[in-house]
Amino acid sequence: MIEIKKIAFKRGENQIFTSLSARIKPGEAVLISGSNGVGKTTLLQLIGGVLRVQSGEILINGRNVEELSIKEQAHVRSVAPQRRNFTLAYTVEQVINFVPKKLKVENANFIIDTLGLRSLLHKKVTELSGGEQERVSLALAFSQKADYYLLDEPFSAQDSKSIKNIIKVIKSLQKADKGVLVISHNQEALTQYFDREIKLS
Amino acid sequence: MVALFVLSLKIGILQIHESLWSLVGKHSIDAQTVWGVRFPRALGAIIIGAGLGIAGAIAQGIFRNPLAEPTLIGLSSGATLGTIAIIASGASGFGTRMNVVSAVTAALLTALLVQWLAPNKGFGFLLTGIAVSAILTAAAGLLITMSPKPGIQSLSFWNFGSLSLLNNATVGLIAPYVETGIIIAFFVSRRLDIYSLGEHSSHYMGVNPKRLRLWAVIALAFLIGASVSAVGSIAFLGLLVPHIVRLMIGPAHRRLLSLSGFVGAIVLLIADLLARTLFEPHEIPLGLLTSILGAPALIVLLKLRSASWVSND
């Protein structure tokens, strides 16, 4: 379980969270919504361990995120950030294989096929469209074996067919008792696919 | 490479007509020229060329900048100052172990200083490197001018980069340092692929970006410190070689490092051969030659850059 306990976070003068609490259970898919600037990405970065809370705590499987090493964090949660630097001309296949062997899921082929990346495997990632790059980034996150998956705006550059395919992967994760947390600002059409919605304001 | 190596032993002011094998174990002038002068020089070119090629690949990867090069980001100037300081202070002479250690240490400190001073990882980082580099070069120049030690002025030839000072002893001295640098470089190479996706991506996939940067900088200090201490700073090699290799085989770092080492060795062998034969009997400083050839190549490469490195800024 991910437990967010009364966390506070301030960026410069801007108080983003004063006392936020929430939980994500195994097998659950949770949508986090809210307008720009309410701290959706900040929340994901706090759970992901790249930012630190100023008070309160975030526990994953009962352990404080800030006390886990970077390696240990990678075993309990996987993150698809909003943006990755695709600056070097790796092939899609190379990028997906960046996941270290110890961390790699067994069903990588299912992910590649469902996200429609099979035909792109030998293309250079720098030459793909924004939507294709986003799906490569998601495939990379899904290929990392973890208990929780945190996805930052995974649908922002996708058409309705691709959105359905991404949802398909999320459902398969839920079936395997994984928890999924998705951030999105255009949530209306999406709420039906999730167990719960947390609105930040 | 083998052919180039043999050619390097044969060609020079003193023409060698006998077969090289016939000179093994002899003490003639020819044998002395081949095994005492040209052999360490060619071997040094291979070791240092490989080290510089790999250093360039590591620097571009770790600073996520296609223009990051040891001479641009201050490491070479640090190593130069380290070398000159130890000689000017009279603590040790040129080509000694203390000289190498001092160059490696100074390169490491410079890299850490630039990282600490730099406002961000992009062009701010590069500009900080250039600024620090300028200060250190000036300091080294001052030391040379003011030092009462006889003969220190002759170091300006070394300062431009030249393999003419290599002998069997110095090659043996720097080899372990270059090798250590290469081993660390390969040790971090796979993580550099993950790291290329960005600071956060790297953290999310279990690679500590700070620790990776430290290892990479240590590798750079070994590679650059050792080579500068022996042959001075050789410009452009570390900048150009990885770009050419990336255009050939793509960006995956393990292969990029291997081939950059190989191509670096070949390029330096050729460059040194040209430096000492082009205007025979005069020798041009190697660093000048690589600058003359490297700078135009860099301009062409910048035009082609999108092929090997896409800018996200």
Side-chain angles (χ1 to χ4, degrees):
Chain A
M1 187 152 46
I2 297 183
E3 297 163 90
I4 298 161
K5 293 182 168 175
K6 293 184 179 163
I7 58 164
F9 185 80
K10 197 174 177 182
R11 181 174 272 153
E13 289 297 290
N14 197 359
Q15 188 76 45
I16 297 174
F17 304 123
T18 42
S19 179
L20 179 76
S21 296
R23 307 176 144 194
I24 296 115
K25 295 190 208 96
E28 197 178 31
V30 177
L31 182 70
I32 298 202
S33 61
S35 44
N36 288 333
V38 293
K40 299 190 296 294
T41 297
T42 305
L43 180 61
L44 185 135
Q45 290 175 342
L46 287 165
I47 303 171
V50 296
L51 291 178
R52 287 167 168 265
V53 294
Q54 276 130 17
S55 70
E57 56 181 3
I58 296 174
L59 308 179
I60 304 183
N61 297 342
R63 293 184 66 189
N64 191 327
V65 169
E66 293 177 11
E67 283 158 15
L68 294 173
S69 74
I70 289 180
K71 251 200 191 114
E72 288 171 325
Q73 290 176 23
H75 282 279
V76 292
R77 58 92 192 104
S78 173
V79 185
Q82 212 166 352
R83 197 166 296 148
R84 299 200 203 251
N85 285 341
F86 289 125
T87 47
L88 288 169
Y90 293 103
T91 63
V92 171
E93 190 174 29
Q94 282 177 319
V95 171
I96 294 173
N97 282 329
F98 281 179
V99 182
K101 278 208 180 74
K102 276 187 216 152
L103 277 173
K104 187 116 182 185
V105 294
E106 290 88 25
N107 64 342
N109 279 325
F110 163 75
I111 293 158
I112 291 165
D113 288 325
T114 313
L115 296 181
L117 297 174
R118 178 70 54 193
S119 60
L120 302 178
L121 280 180
H122 299 293
K123 287 229 165 107
K124 286 175 184 165
V125 72
T126 42
E127 290 165 4
L128 301 181
S129 72
E132 289 167 335
Q133 286 189 343
E134 192 174 77
R135 277 182 281 138
V136 172
S137 169
L138 283 170
L140 189 55
F142 288 139
S143 302
Q144 183 175 330
K145 198 189 288 178
D147 298 326
Y148 294 90
Y149 290 82
L150 318 173
L151 317 175
D152 197 349
E153 300 280 1
F155 311 114
S156 65
Q158 304 303 326
D159 57 25
S160 56
K161 190 178 152 235
S162 297
I163 292 178
K164 289 222 171 79
N165 289 333
I166 295 166
I167 298 287
K168 207 194 244 177
V169 178
I170 294 177
K171 294 282 174 204
S172 79
L173 289 171
Q174 285 185 265
K175 241 180 232 155
D177 218 24
K178 311 290 187 189
V180 182
L181 189 147
V182 170
I183 284 176
S184 184
H185 62 273
N186 54 346
Q187 82 287 9
E188 284 87 8
L190 297 168
T191 40
Q192 51 168 320
Y193 301 116
F194 291 86
D195 302 323
R196 233 158 18 98
E197 181 179 357
I198 299 173
K199 280 191 175 149
L200 294 180
S201 53
Chain B
M1 182 144 84
V2 174
L4 273 171
F5 188 78
V6 172
L7 200 63
S8 298
L9 299 189
K10 284 228 174 201
I11 293 184
I13 298 172
L14 188 74
Q15 291 287 337
I16 306 292
H17 298 292
E18 301 151 77
S19 101
L20 291 174
W21 285 119
S22 68
L23 297 173
V24 176
K26 290 197 182 146
H27 295 283
S28 64
I29 291 175
D30 279 4
Q32 183 51 34
T33 308
V34 169
W35 299 114
V37 180
R38 289 183 196 161
F39 175 76
R41 194 163 170 162
L43 189 65
I46 289 174
I47 293 172
I48 289 164
L52 291 177
I54 290 172
I58 287 278
Q60 289 167 13
I62 204 67
F63 300 120
R64 279 197 217 95
N65 194 314
L67 296 177
E69 201 239 357
T71 49
L72 284 180
I73 57 180
L75 268 107
S76 299
S77 329
T80 303
L81 184 61
T83 300
I84 288 174
I86 203 90
I87 297 168
S89 70
S92 191
F94 182 81
T96 58
R97 183 174 303 274
M98 198 154 159
N99 175 196
V100 185
V101 171
S102 148
V104 169
T105 313
L108 185 61
L109 291 177
T110 311
L112 296 176
L113 177 72
V114 171
Q115 270 200 47
W116 180 65
L117 287 174
N120 57 46
K121 297 277 161 317
F123 273 94
F125 176 83
L126 217 55
L127 290 174
T128 310
I130 291 168
V132 169
S133 186
I135 296 168
L136 297 181
T137 307
L142 267 178
L143 270 181
I144 289 183
T145 327
M146 299 194 321
S147 171
K149 294 219 102 185
I152 197 162
Q153 276 79 7
S154 70
L155 280 176
S156 68
F157 193 73
W158 162 81
N159 208 3
F160 279 121
S162 169
L163 301 191
S164 64
L165 296 161
L166 282 178
N167 54 45
N168 282 316
T170 47
V171 170
L173 207 57
I174 63 161
Y177 290 87
V178 176
E179 277 157 22
T180 308
I182 292 177
I183 289 167
I184 300 173
F186 276 95
F187 168 68
V188 301
S189 65
R190 232 189 104 77
R191 276 176 276 171
L192 282 174
D193 290 329
I194 294 178
Y195 182 81
S196 78
L197 298 176
E199 205 83 0
H200 287 181
S201 267
S202 170
H203 180 126
Y204 293 147
M205 293 176 72
V207 172
N208 186 337
K210 280 191 191 128
R211 199 175 298 167
L212 181 63
R213 270 200 295 274
L214 187 63
W215 277 117
V217 163
I218 292 172
L220 282 173
F222 271 96
L223 293 171
I224 299 306
S227 79
V228 167
S229 77
V231 300
S233 49
I234 294 167
F236 290 104
L237 192 90
L239 180 62
L240 287 171
V241 167
H243 281 283
I244 295 164
V245 172
R246 231 182 261 112
L247 287 172
M248 286 158 57
I249 59 148
H253 278 90
R254 183 155 290 186
R255 285 168 68 199
L256 177 69
L257 290 185
S258 315
L259 203 58
S260 292
F262 187 71
V263 173
I266 288 181
V267 170
L268 198 58
L269 263 180
I270 296 176
D272 185 51
L273 210 54
L274 289 177
R276 63 197 177 85
T277 53
L278 222 48
F279 296 106
E280 234 171 2
H282 298 288
E283 176 168 340
I284 345 169
L286 187 66
L288 287 185
L289 186 80
T290 55
S291 291
I292 292 166
L293 299 176
L298 173 65
I299 292 166
V300 173
L301 212 69
L302 282 173
K303 300 260 181 209
L304 290 173
R305 196 179 91 175
S306 58
S308 112
W309 202 305
V310 177
S311 175
N312 252 10
D313 314 320

